[in-house]
């Protein structure tokens, strides 16, 4: 009997004493994208947490989901704050009316909401489109830093006429602001339009606009910024859901935007590894850095932790012609159909941890490997692609090691 | 004056006589009522109706057949998810009140009123009349606990050696599932053997199964409060469990729950496609060598999903658990006679969405696997003290690296 008592007492003691040892540890910070910016104030951390809760909130029918939608939460497209999966791609379409791009709003465009609540018709792609694209959601980490980059810094990288004759001619995307847009000190509008920096075609000026539009167009959730529910204009009889609008407040949108603004910089891994350093040099040598600008510096921000920081996003936030290889005959704002905003490469080494263990690269996830993605680069990046193809196997491996370290 | 007093005395005596004789008559009537209970539909005056109720009449004679009981369970929680501590908290999960009455020979009433987390959630989990025609055929009607598997009808805290309910019973089967319905149950006896059956028509689960705030197909969200009042589509669901019990070896049960769940017609007019669900459960219980208790359930769910959300929500789910309970001590402890100490292990898993992504051919995950170890001490058969260590691996729909959650819980549960 005594031995049984001892056994039980030992087990209890083990559980209590080893409490800290038997709990799951925090993952290596270098291995995850999620997490707040360092040096936030307690009040900013509270807002970050509020935004995090809203970012992961799942909307049901009784919360206002739909009536047509693409996803039920922010997180379903940005798992772990990372890049999205082909199962949650956005489909967008449009056509030309003469020289003018028509987003086909009267026919349900520019975005297809292919899901719908029960008893309500989901949208179909209408006939008569000129082009259609499928967009994998981007990672959302580090976006606050990109928002804090001054317009002047972006314009300094632009080279519309390719004055330096490197074959790369980035141009800013100019977007008409929504009526709730508040310009920052550094914004340099042209004819009332502002530089877009978020979205595959740089169609959103700031994260508030990006968030409000995502609530409406992706989840079918109205807010103080977009009061009218989406409905199926083709067969929905102008009816929506039964939840009064707005379905979320302006505060909720701001909290989610604040959450994204205060997500940490994507972490590097093995940055000092010799092979990684060799790959980084090759990356620059073959001209990838002409669009994927390695280093930028933020301006002043209302969030002190984001102000005047040297960051390494590997983007110039400009539009570049990527050639027929990546031309889906679809566009937004001032971008041409073959033009895409340079996607930031930071965090790309952790992509597979948000895409179910496999990478789906490029705007529509068509590339399963870095090499495949590079080989799709055309247009202004043709020279870099050719240079990559001419690398030795060892040099290619070094370049890929570098990308994996981002 | 004397005359007056005399008259008053006479009046008092007359009154006492009348009261006494009425009481004797009343007792005599009550005794008669016991043999042939008075028809409660017959009342002498409208005004007296509120006190002319059988339980009051029976209570006044001490012959009321009414029992009140219940159980209580509470525990502490200390959980950590991927290094993030939720801190220490205490929880009074349930306070449940039972009221039982033998209405008449072979007519029984039982109710179970549950207060979850204080008064956060108050539910009538069971309130039904049982009419026994014979042991093999009983009619039951009211708010019943649907016999989907064994746990839903046998979920009282003091009967379980673990603090948390099995995941499959809360995440796949929507326990505790109580519904308005009626049907039959009974049992057939053989030598060391019992065959039991339950079969009921119920209002069924409702639309919230899909497009809910869980973001997945989730039967628990189909428990609309209106289900006690009316069927959302006018088409009852069917639930049944059959079980074979051999006293020396085991009990094995098979259950089915199914029917249309969505509001596909309003006022008889069809407004949507009719969609159904089916829940299939195998449950088992056995004692090996009179020591090792094994019990568990395996559940499969099939839900028809609208075409408009098919890639987004699962139409197939499964889950299961196995509990292993091994008594290591039975003796007097701290003057509690026959105290039993058990070592316990639970293995469990749920998969909310069985299938593959059409876009990539990858497996859809959205699953939890868990292991729970623990110790339970029973100072009496109706009271259990429990300590558990849980470890969960949760994978999102894409199968990204698991979110790991672990926790230590200490708690109690007891009938009263």
């Amino acid at each position: 009997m005594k031995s049984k008592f001892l056994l039980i007492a030992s087990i209890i003691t083990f559980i209590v004493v080893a409490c800290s040892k038997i709990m799951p540890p925090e993952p290596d910070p270098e291995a995850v994208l999620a997490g707040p910016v360092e040096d936030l104030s307690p009040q900013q951390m509270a807002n970050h947490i509020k935004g995090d809760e809203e970012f992961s909130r799942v909307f049901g029918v009784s919360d206002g989901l739909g009536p047509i939608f693409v996803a039920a939460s922010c997180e379903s497209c940005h798992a772990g704050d990372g890049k999205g999966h082909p199962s949650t791609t956005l489909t967008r379409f449009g056509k030309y009316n003469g020289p003018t791009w028509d987003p086909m709003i009267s026919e349900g465009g520019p975005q297809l909401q292919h899901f719908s609540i029960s008893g309500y018709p989901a949208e179909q792609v209408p006939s008569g489109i000129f082009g259609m694209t499928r967009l994998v959601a981007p990672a959302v980490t580090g976006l606050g830093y990109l928002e804090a980059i001054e317009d002047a810094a972006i314009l300094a990288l632009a080279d519309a006429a390719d004055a330096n004759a490197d074959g790369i001619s980035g141009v800013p995307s100019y977007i008409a602001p929504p009526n709730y847009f508040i310009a920052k000190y550094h914004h340099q509008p042209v004819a009332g339009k502002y530089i877009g920096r978020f979205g595959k075609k740089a169609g959103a000026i700031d994260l508030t606009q990006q968030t409000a539009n995502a609530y409406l167009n992706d989840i079918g959730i109205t807010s103080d910024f977009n009061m009218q529910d989406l409905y199926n204009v083709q067969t929905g009889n102008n009816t929506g859901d039964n939840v009064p609008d707005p379905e979320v407040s302006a505060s909720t949108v701001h909290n989610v935007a604040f959450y994204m603004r205060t997500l940490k910089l994507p972490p590097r891994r093995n940055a000092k590894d010799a092979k990684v350093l060799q790959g980084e040099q090759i990356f620059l040598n073959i001209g990838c850095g002409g669009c994927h600008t390695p280093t930028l510096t933020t301006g002043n921000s209302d969030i002190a932790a984001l102000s005047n920081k040297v960051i390494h996003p590997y983007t110039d936030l400009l539009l570049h012609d990527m050639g027929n290889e990546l031309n889906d005959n679809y566009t937004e704002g001032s971008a041409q159909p073959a033009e895409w905003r340079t996607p930031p490469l930071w965090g790309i080494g952790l992509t597979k941890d948000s895409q179910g263990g496999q990478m789906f690269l490029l705007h529509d996830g068509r590339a399963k490997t870095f090499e495949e993605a590079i080989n799709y680069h055309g247009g202004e990046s043709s020279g870099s692609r050719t240079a990559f193809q001419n690398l030795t196997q060892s040099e290619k491996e070094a370049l890929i090691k570098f990308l994996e370290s981002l | 004056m004397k005359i007056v007093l005399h008259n008053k005395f006479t009046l008092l005596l007359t009154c006492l006589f009348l009261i006494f004789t009425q009481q004797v008559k009343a007792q005599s009537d009550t005794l008669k009522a016991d043999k042939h209970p008075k028809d409660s539909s017959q009342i002498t005056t409208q005004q007296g109706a509120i006190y002319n109720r059988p339980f009051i009449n029976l209570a006044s004679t001490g012959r009321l057949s009414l029992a009140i009981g219940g159980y209580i369970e509470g525990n502490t929680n200390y959980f950590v998810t991927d290094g993030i501590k939720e801190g220490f908290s205490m929880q009074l999960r349930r306070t449940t009140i039972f009221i039982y009455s033998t209405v008449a020979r072979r007519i029984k009433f039982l109710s179970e009123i549950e207060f979850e987390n204080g008064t956060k959630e108050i539910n009538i989990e069971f309130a039904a009349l049982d009419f026994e025609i014979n042991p093999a055929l009983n009619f039951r009607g009211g708010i019943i606990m649907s016999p989907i598997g064994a746990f839903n009808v046998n979920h009282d805290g003091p009967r379980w050696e673990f603090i948390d309910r099995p995941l499959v019973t809360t995440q796949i089967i929507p326990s505790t599932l109580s519904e308005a319905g009626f049907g039959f149950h009974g049992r057939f006896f053989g030598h060391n053997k019992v065959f039991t059956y339950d079969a009921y028509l119920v209002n069924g689960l409702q639309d919230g199964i899909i497009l809910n705030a869980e973001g997945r197909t989730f039967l628990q969200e189909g428990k609309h409060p209106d289900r006690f009042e009316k069927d959302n589509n006018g088409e009852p669901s069917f639930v049944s469990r059959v079980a074979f019990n051999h006293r020396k070896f085991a009990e094995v049960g098979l259950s089915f729950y199914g029917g249309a769940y969505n509001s596909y017609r309003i006022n008889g007019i069809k407004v949507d496609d009719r969609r159904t669900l089916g829940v299939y459960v195998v449950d088992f219980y056995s004692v090996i060598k009179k020591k090792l208790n094994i019990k568990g359930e395996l559940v499969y769910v099939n839900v028809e999903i609208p075409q408009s959300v098919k890639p987004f929500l699962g139409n197939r789910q499964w889950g299961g658990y196995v509990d292993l309970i091994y008594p290591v001590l039975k003796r007097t402890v701290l003057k509690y006679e026959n105290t039993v100490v058990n070592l316990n292990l639970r293995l469990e898993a749920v998969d909310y969405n069985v299938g593959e992504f059409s876009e990539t051919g990858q497996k859809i995950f959205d699953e939890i696997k868990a292991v729970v170890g623990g110790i339970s001490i029973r100072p009496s058969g109706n009271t259990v003290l429990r300590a558990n260590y849980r470890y969960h691996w949760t994978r999102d729909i894409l199968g990204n690296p698991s979110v790991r959650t672990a926790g230590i819980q200490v708690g109690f549960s007891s009938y009263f």
Side-chain angles (χ1 to χ4, degrees):
Chain A
M1 286 299 170
K2 277 186 178 174
S3 63
K4 287 180 176 173
F5 264 130
L6 280 172
L7 174 68
I8 293 163
S10 302
I11 290 169
I12 294 171
T13 307
F14 172 78
I15 290 171
V16 172
V17 173
C19 188
S20 61
K21 303 287 181 193
I22 57 177
M23 294 299 175
E26 193 176 349
D28 180 356
E30 291 184 353
V32 292
L33 289 171
V37 166
E38 286 181 11
D39 301 327
L40 293 180
S41 69
Q43 177 258 324
Q44 287 170 331
M45 271 306 298
N47 280 346
H48 179 89
I49 291 167
K50 275 186 208 165
D52 190 6
E53 287 168 358
E54 290 296 334
F55 191 82
S56 56
R57 177 184 174 187
V58 178
F59 288 86
V61 171
S62 59
D63 304 311
L65 175 70
I68 50 176
F69 62 98
V70 179
S73 71
C74 305
E75 204 165 65
S76 53
C77 292
H78 305 278
D81 297 323
K83 200 168 158 67
H85 184 263
S87 64
T88 56
T89 52
L90 306 176
T91 300
R92 291 186 184 162
F93 54 85
K95 65 181 181 185
Y96 277 105
N97 278 333
T100 308
W101 179 255
D102 176 4
M104 300 177 73
I105 290 169
S106 61
E107 293 165 87
Q111 183 165 303
L112 179 77
Q113 282 79 31
H114 57 293
F115 294 145
S116 64
I117 61 175
S118 299
Y120 195 88
E123 282 188 325
Q124 306 283 328
V125 177
S127 59
I129 63 168
F130 175 74
M132 181 174 76
T133 192
R134 288 169 66 83
L135 306 174
V136 170
V140 292
T141 47
L143 295 186
Y145 292 91
L146 298 183
E147 194 181 55
I149 291 168
E150 294 179 345
D151 275 6
I154 298 171
L155 292 168
L157 297 169
D159 184 15
D162 191 16
N164 61 1
D166 63 352
I168 299 170
S169 55
V171 293
S173 168
Y174 281 100
I175 303 297
N179 55 10
Y180 52 81
F181 172 72
I182 299 170
K184 292 195 170 61
Y185 76 94
H186 63 78
H187 282 139
Q188 298 182 21
V190 173
K193 293 184 176 181
Y194 290 77
I195 296 176
R197 57 183 80 193
F198 300 108
K200 308 282 185 188
K201 298 278 188 181
I205 304 165
D206 62 15
L207 291 170
T208 303
Q209 182 188 7
Q210 182 75 9
T211 305
N213 285 348
Y215 263 121
L216 183 69
N217 293 307
D218 301 349
I219 315 179
I221 293 295
T222 55
S223 66
D224 287 325
F225 300 114
N226 292 305
M227 284 290 283
Q228 188 172 347
D229 230 333
L230 285 182
Y231 56 89
N232 184 335
V233 295
Q234 298 158 0
T235 55
N237 304 320
N238 295 354
T239 59
D241 58 40
N242 292 324
V243 178
D245 300 317
E247 290 150 348
V248 297
S249 67
S251 298
T252 300
V253 174
H254 283 308
N255 282 337
V256 172
F258 186 85
Y259 167 72
M260 289 194 288
R261 291 179 73 198
T262 50
L263 282 170
K264 69 180 186 184
L265 291 169
R268 288 288 305 271
R269 293 155 309 291
N270 309 317
K272 303 295 181 194
D273 181 274
K275 196 84 173 173
V276 169
L277 290 170
Q278 183 196 354
E280 184 173 9
Q281 195 55 51
I282 294 167
F283 179 86
L284 297 172
N285 291 346
I286 65 173
C288 303
C291 302
H292 293 287
T293 306
T295 303
L296 292 169
T297 303
T298 62
N300 291 323
S301 170
D302 55 322
I303 300 168
L306 301 179
S307 290
N308 307 307
K309 300 291 182 191
V310 176
I311 58 172
H312 305 287
Y314 295 90
T315 177
D316 57 6
L317 297 174
L318 296 170
L319 298 171
H320 294 274
D321 185 334
M322 298 303 291
N324 288 331
E325 292 88 337
L326 295 174
N327 185 353
D328 291 337
N329 294 323
Y330 169 81
T331 193
E332 292 170 10
S334 62
Q336 295 300 308
E339 287 182 330
W340 298 91
R341 185 212 59 169
T342 309
L345 294 183
W346 59 8
I348 201 166
L350 296 173
T351 292
K352 64 179 189 306
D353 285 348
S354 66
Q355 294 188 318
Q358 186 178 333
M359 285 195 296
F360 298 95
L361 301 171
L362 297 177
H363 66 274
D364 55 1
R366 69 177 73 174
K368 309 293 189 297
T369 64
F370 288 122
E371 188 159 357
E372 196 181 346
I374 294 167
N375 284 327
Y376 272 115
H377 281 56
E380 295 176 34
S381 57
S382 301
S384 295
R385 177 180 62 184
T386 304
F388 172 77
Q389 289 166 344
N390 291 332
L391 293 174
T392 64
Q393 189 57 34
S394 171
E395 288 170 329
K396 284 181 181 174
E397 285 169 10
L399 177 62
I400 287 165
K401 275 273 185 196
F402 164 66
L403 294 173
E404 287 171 349
S405 77
L406 292 177
Chain B
M1 198 59 177
K2 275 185 180 176
I3 292 167
V4 173
L5 282 174
H6 177 75
N7 285 345
K8 280 190 176 174
F9 183 69
T10 306
L11 186 62
L12 183 64
L13 279 178
T14 306
C15 288
L16 286 171
F17 176 73
L18 285 172
I19 289 167
F20 176 73
T21 53
Q22 285 302 311
Q23 276 187 333
V24 170
K25 186 170 180 294
Q27 282 181 10
S28 169
D29 286 351
T30 307
L31 290 171
K32 279 181 192 171
D34 285 344
K35 288 178 184 171
H36 303 287
K38 198 172 161 185
D39 183 346
S40 60
S41 67
Q42 304 298 312
I43 53 171
T44 51
T45 64
Q46 300 294 336
Q47 185 194 43
I50 60 165
Y51 288 112
N52 185 16
R53 285 177 164 151
F55 77 100
I56 295 175
N57 293 335
L58 292 170
S60 67
T61 62
R63 289 172 175 269
L64 181 63
S65 169
L66 185 70
I68 297 176
Y71 72 87
I72 186 169
E73 64 179 334
N75 60 279
T76 65
N77 290 309
Y78 179 80
F79 278 91
V80 175
T81 299
D82 278 347
I84 299 170
K85 298 179 179 72
E86 293 174 19
F88 179 82
S89 63
M90 287 163 277
Q91 179 180 24
L92 182 66
R93 292 189 178 218
R94 292 176 191 90
T95 308
T96 300
I97 311 290
F98 302 128
I99 301 171
Y100 169 82
S101 173
T102 300
V103 179
R105 202 163 70 84
R106 297 190 296 144
I107 300 176
K108 294 182 290 189
F109 169 82
L110 177 69
S111 72
E112 178 178 341
I113 300 163
E114 186 162 280
F115 300 79
E116 285 195 25
N117 295 314
T119 54
K120 187 178 176 187
E121 209 177 303
I122 303 172
N123 294 309
I124 297 177
E125 293 210 324
F126 187 90
L129 273 177
D130 270 356
F131 298 85
E132 182 185 320
I133 298 159
N134 67 52
L137 186 64
N138 298 266
F139 174 82
R140 175 175 291 172
I143 294 175
I144 65 163
M145 287 186 290
S146 293
I148 321 179
F151 183 88
N152 198 56
V153 290
N154 184 21
H155 60 258
D156 293 356
R159 291 189 179 162
W160 293 80
E161 308 305 317
F162 296 90
I163 290 169
D164 279 346
R165 294 178 166 184
L167 286 172
V168 70
T169 66
T170 57
Q171 302 298 299
I172 304 292
I173 295 174
S175 292
T176 302
L177 178 59
S178 305
E179 301 189 88
F182 65 87
F184 294 91
H185 65 95
R187 51 180 59 194
F188 301 90
F189 297 93
H191 179 62
N192 279 334
K193 296 186 283 283
V194 185
F195 173 80
T196 64
Y197 75 91
D198 289 82
Y200 307 102
L201 290 175
V202 294
N203 279 343
L205 295 166
Q206 303 196 8
D207 299 83
I209 285 173
I210 59 169
L211 298 170
N212 49 54
E214 292 287 324
R216 56 168 66 101
T217 303
F218 198 58
L219 269 53
Q220 196 75 257
E221 292 285 322
K223 289 161 60 175
H224 196 282
D226 288 352
R227 72 190 189 282
F228 296 122
E229 184 185 0
K230 63 182 288 193
D231 195 314
N232 64 323
N233 52 32
E235 183 183 324
S237 294
F238 175 71
V239 57
S240 178
R241 177 176 181 267
V242 293
F244 174 77
N245 181 298
H246 191 288
R247 199 163 295 171
K248 288 185 178 174
F249 302 111
E251 175 165 316
V252 177
L254 299 172
S255 315
F256 168 77
Y257 180 99
Y261 68 88
N262 66 316
S263 305
Y264 68 91
R265 55 186 176 190
I266 299 173
N267 298 329
I269 301 165
K270 189 176 177 190
V271 294
D272 199 356
D273 293 332
R274 176 180 177 273
R275 286 186 283 277
T276 63
L277 69 92
V279 183
Y280 310 84
V281 187
V282 179
D283 63 80
F284 57 92
Y285 170 76
S286 184
V287 180
I288 296 173
K289 293 187 176 178
K290 297 184 179 176
K291 272 277 195 181
L292 179 64
N293 285 254
I294 301 178
K295 57 183 164 185
E297 295 184 36
L298 188 62
V299 184
Y300 178 79
V301 175
N302 200 342
V303 182
E304 286 186 333
I305 301 293
Q307 196 64 37
S308 60
V309 291
K310 217 159 199 171
F312 157 58
L313 296 172
N315 62 345
R316 288 176 291 155
Q317 303 180 317
W318 77 271
Y321 75 93
V322 178
D323 281 2
L324 304 171
I325 297 137
Y326 190 79
V328 292
L329 191 78
K330 186 174 183 181
R331 54 168 289 185
T332 300
V333 175
L334 300 174
K335 297 182 183 174
Y336 288 104
E337 292 174 7
N338 296 320
T339 294
V340 178
V341 179
N342 299 304
L343 291 180
N344 312 311
L345 178 68
R346 172 178 289 165
L347 303 172
E348 53 185 338
V350 296
D351 186 344
Y352 296 103
N353 193 339
V354 178
E356 295 83 36
F357 288 107
S358 59
E359 295 87 352
T360 63
Q362 289 173 298
K363 171 180 160 49
I364 298 173
F365 281 83
D366 202 9
E367 62 186 31
I368 306 173
K369 289 176 182 161
V371 58
V372 190
I375 185 169
S376 57
I377 303 167
R378 290 187 173 272
S380 88
N382 294 329
T383 301
V384 60
L385 309 172
R386 306 176 283 210
N388 289 166
Y389 169 68
R390 304 184 65 84
Y391 204 105
H392 289 207
W393 293 264
T394 305
R395 296 192 82 176
D396 67 9
I397 192 167
L398 302 174
N400 289 317
S402 298
V403 173
R404 296 158 302 165
T405 299
I408 292 174
Q409 299 168 294
V410 178
F412 62 86
S413 188
S414 180
Y415 281 114
F416 56 82

